[in-house]
Amino acid sequence: MKALSVRQPWAWAIIYALKDIENRGWPIHYRGDILIHAAKTCTKKEYQVAREFCQSMGVVIPELISLRRGQVIGIVTIVDCKFSQVASGWGMPLQYHWKLENPREVTPIPYIGQLGIFEVPDDLVMEVAA
């Protein structure tokens, strides 16, 4: 199954806080389900910036220490992708806005993330997504 690594706390926000836009510098033509992998790396500065943004969206995120990292944490459906010059909700300006729907958590799967879209073996996913 296809997967995307997202840094925390953004990965958490996609699965648990209805973050319905993923901002990327590149478009995606794929439509359908994709695993959300919580990247292993997150600096305190990155966390603080994300925390402040989430608060502006009315979302209180868990403390950094309690966020899962280096694991697949959920599945979401990519339904659209459009470039935007302006900020809107979760969307940042001058980014491709990947429109996300139907977030669902899965039993966490320890896995090493990669850049871009990558594949996670179906047998690992079927055990936790059933």
Side-chain angles (χ1 to χ4, degrees), residues 59-79:
V59 173
V60 177
I61 59 174
E63 292 299 319
L64 179 58
I65 191 96
S66 67
L67 291 171
R68 295 188 177 279
R69 291 189 272 169
Q71 299 175 3
V72 171
I73 63 166
I75 302 171
V76 71
T77 306
I78 298 174
V79 297

Side-chain angles (χ1 to χ4, degrees), residues 1 109 120-128:
M1 186 170 188
I109 306 167
V120 173
D122 288 342
D123 57 332
L124 283 179
V125 180
M126 294 307 143
E127 294 175 18
V128 297

Side-chain angles (χ1 to χ4, degrees), residues 48-92:
Q48 191 57 39
V49 168
R51 182 180 184 161
E52 289 170 13
F53 182 87
C54 288
Q55 285 175 337
S56 77
M57 294 293 292
V59 173
V60 177
I61 59 174
E63 292 299 319
L64 179 58
I65 191 96
S66 67
L67 291 171
R68 295 188 177 279
R69 291 189 272 169
Q71 299 175 3
V72 171
I73 63 166
I75 302 171
V76 71
T77 306
I78 298 174
V79 297
D80 200 8
C81 176
K82 291 190 168 110
F83 184 79
S84 182
Q85 297 199 18
V86 297
S88 174
W90 292 99
M92 303 293 181

Side-chain angles (χ1 to χ4, degrees), residues 4-129:
L4 177 71
S5 278
V6 179
R7 289 186 183 234
Q8 289 289 30
W10 304 116
W12 178 90
I14 289 170
I15 301 302
Y16 300 103
L18 303 179
K19 179 180 183 279
D20 62 352
I21 298 291
E22 174 59 12
N23 299 283
R24 293 286 161 154
W26 43 281
I28 189 166
H29 303 288
Y30 172 79
R31 302 293 181 266
D33 286 347
I34 192 167
L35 298 169
I36 297 298
H37 174 269
K40 200 165 194 130
T41 306
C42 179
T43 67
K44 288 181 182 175
K45 176 73 174 162
E46 288 171 331
Y47 174 81
Q48 191 57 39
V49 168
R51 182 180 184 161
E52 289 170 13
F53 182 87
C54 288
Q55 285 175 337
S56 77
M57 294 293 292
V59 173
V60 177
I61 59 174
E63 292 299 319
L64 179 58
I65 191 96
S66 67
L67 291 171
R68 295 188 177 279
R69 291 189 272 169
Q71 299 175 3
V72 171
I73 63 166
I75 302 171
V76 71
T77 306
I78 298 174
V79 297
D80 200 8
C81 176
K82 291 190 168 110
F83 184 79
S84 182
Q85 297 199 18
V86 297
S88 174
W90 292 99
M92 303 293 181
L94 303 175
Q95 293 286 303
Y96 286 94
H97 294 178
W98 298 12
K99 177 71 174 143
L100 310 175
E101 291 182 353
N102 194 22
R104 13 330 149 208
E105 67 179 311
V106 299
T107 303
I109 306 167
Y111 205 80
I112 297 172
Q114 299 173 33
L115 294 176
I117 303 295
F118 60 98
E119 292 287 330
V120 173
D122 288 342
D123 57 332
L124 283 179
V125 180
M126 294 307 143
E127 294 175 18
V128 297

